[in-house]
Amino acid sequence: MNTSIATQPTPSSVQTRAETVPQQRLSRLFTVELRKTIDTRSGRTMLASVLLLSLAIAVWAAVKSFSTEVEFGELLEGIALPMTMLLPVVGVLAMTSEWSQRTALTTFTLSPRRTRVLLCKIGAALVIGVVMTAIAVALALIAYPIATSHNDVLHSNAGMGASIVSIFLAASLNILMGAAFGALLSISAAALVTYFAAPLLWSTLGTQLFGSSARWLDITDSIHRISTRELSGTWPQTITSIVVWIVVPTAVGLWVSSRREVK
Amino acid sequence: MITVEHLTKHYGDHAAVDDISFECAPGTITGFLGPNGAGKSTALRMIAGLTPPTSGGSTVDGVQYSQLPNPGRTIGLMLDAAAQHPGRTGRETLQLTAALLDVDRKTADAMLERVGLTGAEKRRVKQYSLGMRQRLGIANALIGDPHVLVLDEPANGLDPIGIRWMRELLRDFADRGGTVLLSSHLLREVQATVDHLVMIGDGKIVARGTLDELLSTGGTFVCTLDNTAFAADLAAAGLAPRPADGGITVDADAERVGRIAASSGAVLTELRAVGDDGLEELFFRLTDPTTELIGATS
């Protein structure tokens, strides 16, 4: 029985149809990934709690009677703490949740160029981070005049712009690092634990083992230096730690993800 | 049009898919049949670019899957009904796909209606039954108006009405010039749905051809007024008759058996291809590792 499947010549209409399909638009892929990050209950709960925490801190700061000088930068740092601390979780989950939900199969059949998809996910997490941080900045701008109107507290408007820039940088770098660990480990729990524990571990253990050389790889310190604008003379260390903790894991994660088997 | 050429996947020393080649032509429904663990799903995942093949490859309309401009517009896939986010509603799920495929958002509602999920569109996928998830998966595959469909075990979880609905949907899709490839381990379902078969066992193709061709290899069932005498006639003609339930089966087509009866004067009371149970018999025979491989190799 040497039979073969009927092999009619391919009708030309089919070929033409394939050629006329337009490329999947990057902007569409990006908005879809952005929507996917926010449209589930867990995503919304996460963002709502960050906002509520931030609002609570802002209210507390506004009504608290300061007895000493209030600096805008410090106030902003406090109000934006939920953003810089918790939004990296959004970065981690953006990269890992599809693997644990098995939706990766649907996502990557609809968009087989996986690196493009994952870059859109990182972009989506960043956009969320920037919007949320902007809300923190707005809250700080409202809370600051109220906080300084109490009594005769001295207040300083100096460096307001710089504080705003650095809080955006700190939040963005934290989110990027979250996404980097998510991309590298692709298991939510493992990536979250590593994101929070590894830099901390290096800060203490690294310093004990390697002394001041450990600074070259201290990402917590680097992000702190960036957000407090104390970079002078530490640029090489800062760049090195960013490459090692953010750029390399992202690159390796994207490379592995684009080759792994989706089940 | 799906073309699979020498597709192979090794996991360590084990060949999950071993050098399979076949084509699915427009206007046909091809059944990819095999027992569990035969390599069906692995092969389908390789066609969809989800699993990198060890060697060989496949194309859709002559294009590698990963090079398709917007795959969902060319080929609709449902490889796993569980691959939808449980926290989204059916409608949200389809709207996301519609956005990605650049088709009208309203298509999502039209699709929900087409697969019979109207009324459930605002419920979360978590609350869907397996059958409903299969329907949602079908809607997700069809929403980009593709002309190729690949479905892994589409009948899973569907009730008899659902199975008939699926059969009609696929038939209609193929009749309009579409190409369908579906996998199944349910022999009856495949037999009623497909017109071409690729049978796979232990990673290898063990038989392929049209359903009719493959069924005829089950031989012919014949019943006469005197079966013993007719068995002797068949043996005299060089065939090997086997006694069967109330008659005889023989490895020859109905025409040959009929001619032997005509020349010997035997009175036939029944003459048919062993169709009813033929596929099942073939299936077990072909996928039994102790029997030799038959059928075409590439």
Side-chain angles (χ1 to χ4, degrees):
Chain A
M1 182 190 59
N2 231 313
T3 51
S4 69
I5 295 269
T7 51
Q8 306 159 8
T10 315
S12 57
S13 63
V14 171
Q15 291 288 355
T16 331
R17 241 181 110 183
E19 280 160 21
T20 50
V21 171
Q23 284 284 336
Q24 189 171 83
R25 285 192 276 154
L26 187 65
S27 59
R28 225 15 117 69
L29 182 60
F30 177 76
T31 45
V32 164
E33 288 306 330
L34 184 61
R35 212 173 127 190
K36 277 160 70 175
T37 319
I38 350 184
D39 77 347
T40 60
R41 191 180 288 174
S42 58
R44 279 194 295 258
T45 312
M46 175 79 208
L47 297 183
S49 17
V50 169
L51 279 182
L52 279 176
L53 266 175
S54 185
L55 184 67
I57 298 170
V59 169
W60 175 80
V63 299
K64 183 190 173 206
S65 299
F66 290 98
S67 52
T68 51
E69 185 177 352
V70 188
E71 210 216 334
F72 177 77
E74 281 168 23
L75 186 78
L76 176 60
E77 224 176 297
I79 293 172
L81 196 66
M83 281 72 182
T84 49
M85 285 287 292
L86 295 176
L87 285 185
V89 174
V90 174
V92 170
L93 296 181
M95 306 306 279
T96 57
S97 62
E98 296 238 37
W99 298 107
S100 44
Q101 296 280 5
R102 300 174 78 184
T103 50
L105 192 126
T106 305
T107 300
F108 293 133
T109 45
L110 289 171
S111 310
R113 281 178 280 168
R114 299 185 202 166
T115 308
R116 211 164 163 251
V117 178
L118 295 172
L119 286 173
C120 281
K121 285 179 184 294
I122 297 178
L126 261 186
V127 164
I128 291 168
V130 167
V131 170
M132 298 287 278
T133 309
I135 295 173
V137 169
L139 286 175
L141 287 172
I142 297 167
Y144 185 59
I146 303 172
T148 51
S149 66
H150 299 305
N151 311 324
D152 50 351
V153 170
L154 291 166
H155 70 275
S156 138
N157 285 334
M160 261 174 97
S163 310
I164 292 170
V165 170
S166 46
I167 205 74
F168 275 111
L169 277 175
S172 303
L173 284 169
N174 279 331
I175 289 166
L176 284 177
M177 189 160 89
F181 279 84
L184 186 66
L185 298 170
S186 75
I187 300 164
S188 305
L192 282 171
V193 168
T194 314
Y195 168 80
F196 284 111
L200 210 65
L201 214 63
W202 178 258
S203 292
T204 50
L205 209 67
T207 316
Q208 279 181 14
L209 289 175
F210 305 103
S212 62
S213 312
R215 283 194 77 182
W216 285 83
L217 292 179
D218 195 327
I219 187 70
T220 318
D221 238 22
S222 292
I223 294 179
H224 182 71
R225 282 197 300 273
I226 290 172
S227 62
T228 50
R229 304 168 302 287
E230 287 161 2
L231 280 164
S232 57
T234 60
W235 274 109
Q237 286 95 322
T238 310
I239 303 264
T240 309
S241 58
I242 286 175
V243 167
V244 170
W245 287 89
I246 299 177
V247 180
V248 171
T250 306
V252 174
L254 293 187
W255 189 82
V256 170
S257 301
S258 66
R259 274 156 192 79
R260 75 183 273 193
E261 183 174 11
V262 186
K263 281 196 172 177
Chain B
M1 174 85 151
I2 302 172
T3 312
V4 174
E5 284 173 327
H6 304 294
L7 201 57
T8 302
K9 180 69 186 178
H10 288 276
Y11 292 106
D13 288 337
H14 174 65
V17 175
D18 193 359
D19 193 23
I20 66 169
S21 300
F22 62 89
E23 271 184 352
C24 304
T28 65
I29 303 177
T30 304
F32 198 29
L33 184 66
N36 292 326
K40 302 186 298 288
S41 297
T42 308
L44 296 185
R45 281 203 312 271
M46 286 195 277
I47 292 172
L50 294 170
T51 294
T54 307
S55 63
S58 61
T59 57
V60 180
D61 293 348
V63 181
Q64 245 188 6
Y65 191 92
S66 61
Q67 301 304 313
L68 291 169
N70 201 346
R73 298 286 291 271
T74 306
I75 171 171
L77 292 124
M78 186 189 64
L79 298 184
D80 184 355
Q84 302 295 349
H85 197 287
R88 287 192 191 101
T89 66
R91 177 193 268 146
E92 283 168 345
T93 304
L94 293 183
Q95 282 175 345
L96 283 171
T97 307
L100 208 53
L101 300 184
D102 219 351
V103 295
D104 194 339
R105 266 171 76 95
K106 288 184 197 122
T107 322
D109 290 321
M111 275 300 145
L112 285 163
E113 202 184 327
R114 181 157 170 205
V115 301
L117 282 177
T118 315
E121 75 270 23
K122 285 178 185 157
R123 276 157 67 189
R124 289 168 194 275
V125 173
K126 190 166 26 184
Q127 296 162 328
Y128 281 19
S129 67
L130 179 56
M132 290 167 83
R133 286 179 204 213
Q134 292 281 25
R135 286 168 183 269
L136 183 64
I138 294 285
N140 207 47
L142 288 174
I143 199 166
D145 190 25
H147 56 271
V148 182
L149 262 186
V150 174
L151 311 168
D152 198 1
E153 304 275 357
N156 263 5
L158 290 178
D159 55 19
I161 296 169
I163 288 178
R164 195 169 70 184
W165 164 79
M166 171 83 69
R167 196 179 295 161
E168 282 163 6
L169 184 142
L170 296 179
R171 189 72 265 165
D172 175 60
F173 186 87
D175 287 345
R176 287 186 289 111
T179 309
V180 181
L181 172 63
L182 64 90
S183 79
S184 183
H185 64 277
L186 302 172
L187 302 156
R188 294 285 173 197
E189 176 49 31
V190 160
Q191 195 166 357
T193 311
V194 309
D195 40 42
H196 287 74
L197 262 185
V198 174
M199 212 176 267
I200 179 173
D202 204 19
K204 295 182 186 69
I205 290 182
V206 289
R208 56 177 191 174
T210 67
L211 195 62
D212 295 340
E213 284 166 346
L214 290 177
L215 282 179
S216 68
T217 63
T220 301
F221 175 85
V222 59
C223 193
T224 63
L225 290 178
D226 186 349
N227 284 331
T228 320
F230 190 59
D233 295 338
L234 290 169
L239 296 171
R242 298 182 298 274
D245 194 17
I248 304 165
T249 55
V250 62
D251 287 330
D253 59 18
E255 186 187 327
R256 181 148 183 226
V257 175
R259 283 186 188 283
I260 293 167
S263 66
S264 75
V267 179
L268 296 178
T269 54
E270 206 176 341
L271 177 67
R272 58 175 166 85
V274 184
D276 246 355
D277 302 315
L279 193 59
E280 195 159 31
E281 205 176 285
L282 180 70
F283 179 71
F284 288 126
R285 195 148 45 94
L286 293 182
T287 54
D288 181 351
T290 57
T291 56
E292 271 193 31
L293 299 184
I294 64 162
T297 52
S298 54

